[in-house]
Every structure is written in C-alpha cells, then in structure tokens.
Amino acid sequence: MAEAGSERSDPGRPSVLAAPGRRAFLRFAAAAGGATLLSSCSATSGSTAASGTAGAGNATAGAAAGAAASRAAAASGPPSAADWAALAQDLSGPLVRPGEADYATAKELFDPRFDSLHPAGIAYCRNPPDVATCLAFVRRYDVPVAARCGGHSYAGWSSTSGLIVDVTKMSGLSVSGGTATVGAGTRLIDFYNGLSAHGRAVPGGSCPTVGIAGLTLGGGVGVVSRAYGLTSDNVQSLQIVTADGQLRTCDASTNPDLFWACRGGGGGNFGVVTSFTFTTHPAGPIVLFFLSWPWSQAAQVISAWQSWAPHAPDELWSNLHLAAAPGGSVPSIEVGGTYLGSVNGAYAQLERLYAAVGSDPSSPFLESTTWLHAMLVEAGCASLTVNECHLPTQAPGGQLSRASEYAKSDFFTRPLSSQGIGTLLSGVQSLQQVSGAPGGSGGIAFDALGGAVNRVAPGATAYVHRDALFQAQYTTGWPVGSGSAGVARQHAWQRAFWQSMRPYASGQAYQNYIDPDLANWRQAYYGANYARLTQVKAAYDPDRVFTFPQAV
Ligand SMILES: Cc1cc2nc3c(=O)[nH]c(=O)nc-3n(C[C@H](O)[C@H](O)[C@H](O)COP(=O)(O)OP(=O)(O)OC[C@H]3O[C@@H](n4cnc5c(N)ncnc54)[C@H](O)[C@@H]3O)c2cc1C
C-alpha cells in the first residue's frame, strides 16, 4: 500500500493542512459557526462469518429452523418466559433478554434517542437457520420483529417492542476474482478493510458503522457512486430468509422479483438478508479534496458547484456542505470530494470550479492516498486504526461515539435558481437565531449524482431516483443529554428549512434517510416502482410479518 499523502504535489496551488478526518475537517472549517455534521459513527468487528450458502432457488434454512417451523402454528397467547428460554435453546447465537447484564447494550441503536425502546429480546443470529428459527417464533406468538444490522435507521425502525433479529454475527468476507461475498452483518469500515486487503472496492457510504444490509437494501450512496454506481447497483446476488423460513438465493434469474425489490426497496420489508455477493472494482490510489470559501461567497459557490459537480467526469465525486449552529456566528461552506486519477487530473477539474466561483478557495486541501485511508478519512477516522474506527461497545479499542441527529432529504433534478439559492442561504442562517441545545449543530449536505447512478433505468431496480443532479440531507444534531426544549426548537428549524425548499426540490426523498415526517413516503421513496414493490411484498410476506410505519 502506498503511504497516505504519497502524491501530494502542488502545481502552483496552495496545498495546506495536515490530513483531517472528514468531519474533523468540517468541524475545523466550520469552527466559526461551531457546526458539525454528517455524524460520528459506530461499528463492530471480530464476529464470525457463517452467512451460510444455499443452492439455487429456495431451501429451508436448516434443521433447527425445521424444528422451529413445525411449532409455528399460532399459539394462544404471548410467549412465556419458558417459550423465550426454548427459543434461546434453539439458537446457535445468543438471545439477550430484559434483566440480563448485556441487555442495555444489546438493545442500543446508533442514536441514543432510541434508548427508551425496550425490545423483548435481541437474537444474535449466527446463520440463516437462526434467522428462520426467530421468524417461526414471532409467527407462532405474533411477536413484532425487526431486522437489525448497523442500527443506523433514522427512525429507529430496526428496533421493536418484540424480537430484534440482529445479523452482526454474520459478517465474514470472501473475495474471489471480481466478486466479494459478505455476511449481511458487516459494518462498512470492516467491509472496506476486508476488500482493500485484496485490492478491491465496492461503492458505499461514508459512515464506518453503517451496516451493509441497511445501506444496500435502500440504495447506498457514497464517494465513488458517480463512477461505480450505488452499492445496490453492484449486487450480483443475495441470500434472504423470508417470512416463511425459506432461505432464498436471489439473482437475475432466481427469484428475480425479490432480487429487484432488494436493490432499493428499503430494509426491513421483504425478509432478513444474510449475505450479499457484489461486483468489485480496483481499489487504487484515490485523490481526496476539501475546500472552503468565506460565507460571503456562499451564493457563488453553490451556483458554481451545482453546474460543475453533477456534470464532471465520472471519476469526480463531490459534496457541498453548508453548516451552522444555534446561536452560532457565521455559517460555513465547504466542498469536499474524491477523484479517481492523478492529483494533476484533480486539479484540472477543480480549476473549473474555481473559475466558476470566481475565486480560489481560502483553505484548499488535496492529496492522493490509499483507498482504505480515504475511506477512513471520509469516515472521520483519519487518525484512527480500523479497529479504533468503531464504537467501544462493538470492538475493543473502539473510539467512536454514538450521536443524535434528525435527518430529512431531497433530490434535485433542476439547478437551484437564484431565488432558490437565497432560500437555501436563509434557511442555514436562520439556525443562528434558534435557541437550540448547547453544542447543537445543523445544516445541509448535497451529494453530487449523475454518472453511473443515472445510467441505470428507474425501473431496472427498486431504486427509482435516477434523474437527479444531486441529493440533499438536512440534519440537526445535539450532544447526548441535551435538554428536550432546545432539541425540539432545532427540529422545528429543520422542518421549516426543508419546507422552504419545496418549490425547488423534486419531491423525491432518499429511503435510506428514512423520515417519519413524510406523509407521501410511498411516492417520495419509490415513485413508479411502488406498485411492483407491493406485489413482491404480497408474494413473499403476505401476512406482513415485517412491518413498520413506512413498510411497503
Ligand atoms: C451517521 C449516518 C451516516 C450515514 N451515511 C450514509 C451514506 O454515506 N450513504 C448512504 O447511502 N446512507 C447513509 N446513511 C443512511 C444509511 O444508509 C441508512 O440509515 C441505513 O438504513 C442504515 O443501515 P444499518 O444497517 O446501519 O441500519 P439498521 O437500523 O440496522 O437497519 C436499517 C433498516 O434496514 C433493516 N435491516 C437491517 N438489516 C437487515 C437485513 N439483514 N435484512 C433486511 N433488512 C434489514 C432494518 O430493519 C431497518 O429497517 C447514514 C446514516 C447515518 C445515521
């Protein structure tokens, strides 16, 4: 592997700063406003593979599942303590129940605001038969169920009052030629780490502890999506245990409707995925860049960026981040991104942005680095090892923290007019007048689209958003333990900001930034694909074993 920063040349351009983590950079650059964004993230590691394999088509998921399935006739009441104990006996992985020492940790999602949820059990499934056993149990006793991987659902819908089927112990990775098969419980940073050991890459998101299952099932937008597509666009096949306990292989010719639905149809809808097989790409050196301008030039930067980033060569991906803080001073504006090529090639692209803005950035940073280091930087783990780039509860030595955040999203199919840019700037600035939580933050981050993402037809997979120039995520976060009144005011600000952008956005929303506020979520997440999704749901989960407030 090349040393990080091994190609940090400077053809007449200032190259400054020691390599910051992405969020560290954003924090640094946004210091005037006190803004932080794009969250800090979580993880796990060291778990066993065991995703199991199935032949073509469907297979009952093992003898244990068969025994459990034979008891799957409806019971007359809720499960007793003895019934839960019997479930524990039937599983090869641990079942954690209220009152046990590990329960408080086992029920945690990434966001502490969901700590008030109290599932009746958390089953750490080691293999598909464990999953089938859990599904037979919940069917027999009519217990609510939720699949959980990374626990990053913005609505907390990977928890439940019933049984959490946790897949994180199915996290092995094997790479063969141009494909990689990964257990569905793998966290992103472990996925990147495992792939990079083989010199391979799959496009994914930036948060290191997001789970591959939740990410992929809802799409998966990341820093090389313009070149290599969404995470879900790279799925060749997957294995899923459906509500009837069947382990099904899904690919273009086997269970093709379910395969279609599992590429963008959203997590938690059709069964519990136990493994994915992905197409991989070379993980060569990659250029990272981070640029900032004074807030006084924000309108020019937005105007220039939106005409530049979605139309650049596929090798270039970019993000535009506007951040502020409740009661803070001047907001910040940053452009970050990646380039699959040389530093000089990246400079040539950035020169076009600078020309369109009308000025050079005040703090440019650019370097060529290894793929894995780039993923660590994007994850906010620039100075951490892979092991450290985890939550302490999930890996010894993990140094990340859980974080609280509300999120909303938009896709934009037209460039913002000057009026739209004015509305955007006003929305960000208005957070300064909000009496929010001390240390709170908020803003909006745009991810450039186009390229490979938009070359897939909207109906080819369940992921329908194929015509957008960029997507946006509106976020507001607060330190753990903040008072609810300040948080509520930040939330009101975020909703009002999002509302103010209605005239300019497409009306679509990203299903992975799942948003309990959205009244028209069917159309916003899935558009014309929703009708077919309901047919797949009816075929594979007719009794709606898998359900949550925005379930297909
Ligand atoms: C801090 C942060 C950063 C993010 N960054 C990005 C990013 O860069 N790019 C991007 O595209 N998205 C990003 N996201 C959104 C992320 O992709 C979604 O929140 C995703 O659903 C999280 O998946 P998970 O497995 O971590 O979450 P979970 O909460 O475990 O699961 C999410 C949903 O999927 C279901 N699910 C989980 N496992 C399975 C399974 N094995 N089979 C079937 N259903 C399952 C759950 O029931 C739930 O409905 C980010 C989110 C956060 C909070």
Side-chain angles (χ1 to χ4, degrees):
M1 282 186 177
E3 280 280 321
S6 57
E7 195 200 346
R8 194 185 295 183
S9 66
D10 183 357
R13 280 256 142 246
S15 178
V16 293
L17 308 179
R22 184 184 192 191
R23 267 168 281 114
F25 171 83
L26 294 172
R27 285 198 186 97
F28 163 79
T36 65
L37 200 55
L38 301 179
S39 73
S40 57
C41 289
S42 73
T44 190
S45 78
S47 44
T48 54
S51 54
T53 55
N58 314 331
T60 303
S70 71
R71 298 195 300 269
S76 56
S80 64
D83 296 324
W84 283 103
L87 173 64
Q89 285 291 321
D90 284 345
L91 297 173
S92 64
L95 174 72
V96 181
R97 294 265 294 140
E100 294 180 12
D102 294 341
Y103 179 74
T105 303
K107 73 184 182 66
E108 284 180 351
L109 301 184
F110 178 73
D111 191 326
R113 75 189 152 103
F114 301 120
D115 284 356
S116 56
L117 302 177
H118 291 284
I122 303 99
Y124 289 93
C125 294
R126 290 195 190 280
N127 47 44
D130 276 357
V131 175
T133 298
C134 288
L135 297 183
F137 179 86
V138 301
R139 292 190 65 146
R140 175 176 165 88
Y141 296 105
D142 200 18
V143 169
V145 65
R148 186 180 71 183
C149 181
H152 279 270
S153 166
Y154 276 108
W157 289 334
S158 50
S159 188
T160 169
S161 59
L163 180 63
I164 293 178
V165 176
D166 183 288
V167 298
T168 55
K169 295 206 178 294
M170 294 185 277
S171 60
L173 176 86
S174 67
V175 178
S176 170
T179 64
T181 297
V182 59
T186 307
R187 263 88 176 187
L188 277 187
I189 197 64
D190 300 316
F191 187 43
Y192 296 143
N193 187 40
L195 286 169
S196 72
H198 296 268
R200 306 304 293 176
V202 172
S206 52
C207 176
T209 58
V210 157
I212 193 69
L215 180 90
T216 307
L217 291 168
V221 177
V223 298
V224 289
S225 288
R226 299 190 69 256
Y228 299 143
L230 304 169
T231 314
S232 59
D233 293 338
N234 289 269
V235 178
Q236 289 187 0
S237 68
L238 58 88
Q239 294 197 311
I240 182 170
V241 182
T242 44
D244 57 4
Q246 294 281 310
L247 173 63
R248 300 172 193 266
T249 296
C250 302
D251 59 26
S253 57
T254 311
N255 298 310
D257 270 13
L258 190 52
F259 183 54
W260 175 87
C262 287
R263 289 174 294 154
N269 278 311
F270 305 105
V272 180
V273 176
T274 56
S275 72
F276 298 92
T277 297
F278 291 101
T279 300
T280 66
H281 305 267
I286 182 170
V287 176
L288 291 175
F289 58 86
F290 299 97
L291 319 165
S292 66
W293 278 265
W295 184 249
S296 58
Q297 288 178 262
Q300 295 97 299
V301 174
I302 297 162
S303 175
W305 183 86
Q306 67 176 354
S307 307
W308 169 78
H311 308 291
D314 292 0
E315 290 75 17
L316 185 124
W317 173 85
S318 180
N319 164 290
L320 171 69
H321 182 206
L322 285 69
S329 53
V330 183
S332 65
I333 182 161
E334 324 292 341
V335 172
T338 59
Y339 182 73
L340 299 174
S342 67
V343 165
N344 285 345
Y347 271 131
Q349 295 301 324
L350 295 178
E351 292 286 0
R352 296 177 45 233
L353 175 65
Y354 301 171
V357 174
S359 67
D360 288 359
S362 50
S363 61
F365 170 84
L366 185 144
E367 72 170 0
S368 178
T369 186
T370 64
W371 196 275
L372 181 59
H373 182 70
M375 296 304 118
L376 283 163
V377 171
E378 293 291 337
C381 294
S383 58
L384 303 181
T385 64
V386 168
N387 206 48
E388 290 166 343
C389 190
H390 288 84
L391 285 180
T393 51
Q394 297 170 331
Q399 294 193 13
L400 301 185
S401 306
R402 299 164 73 212
S404 286
E405 188 176 71
Y406 287 120
K408 299 180 77 64
S409 69
D410 267 324
F411 287 88
F412 292 84
T413 51
R414 292 173 293 134
L416 289 166
S417 61
S418 55
Q419 196 181 13
I421 291 174
T423 304
L424 175 61
L425 295 177
S426 299
V428 174
Q429 288 169 169
S430 64
L431 183 57
Q432 297 173 262
Q433 273 71 59
V434 173
S435 176
S441 61
I444 183 167
F446 296 91
D447 286 335
L449 293 169
V453 175
N454 289 9
R455 286 194 289 272
V456 178
T461 72
Y463 188 90
V464 76
H465 319 291
R466 302 292 185 173
D467 61 350
L469 298 171
F470 39 87
Q471 69 177 45
Q473 188 183 32
Y474 309 71
T475 56
T476 192
W478 58 94
V480 175
S482 295
S484 58
V487 171
R489 285 189 287 269
Q490 287 182 225
H491 201 185
W493 162 82
Q494 181 198 44
R495 287 168 160 153
F497 179 20
W498 177 87
Q499 191 62 42
S500 74
M501 296 300 289
R502 291 313 81 215
Y504 313 106
S506 72
Q508 295 194 346
Y510 183 26
Q511 51 271 45
N512 264 349
Y513 297 155
I514 205 154
D515 179 358
D517 284 354
L518 272 185
N520 66 337
W521 58 268
R522 294 172 185 81
Q523 178 62 27
Y525 297 154
Y526 305 117
N529 287 343
Y530 189 72
R532 186 174 171 190
L533 284 169
T534 62
Q535 291 165 9
V536 178
K537 180 77 171 174
Y540 291 96
D541 185 17
D543 300 329
R544 300 188 68 76
V545 169
F546 299 101
T547 192
F548 54 93
Q550 293 182 351
V552 169

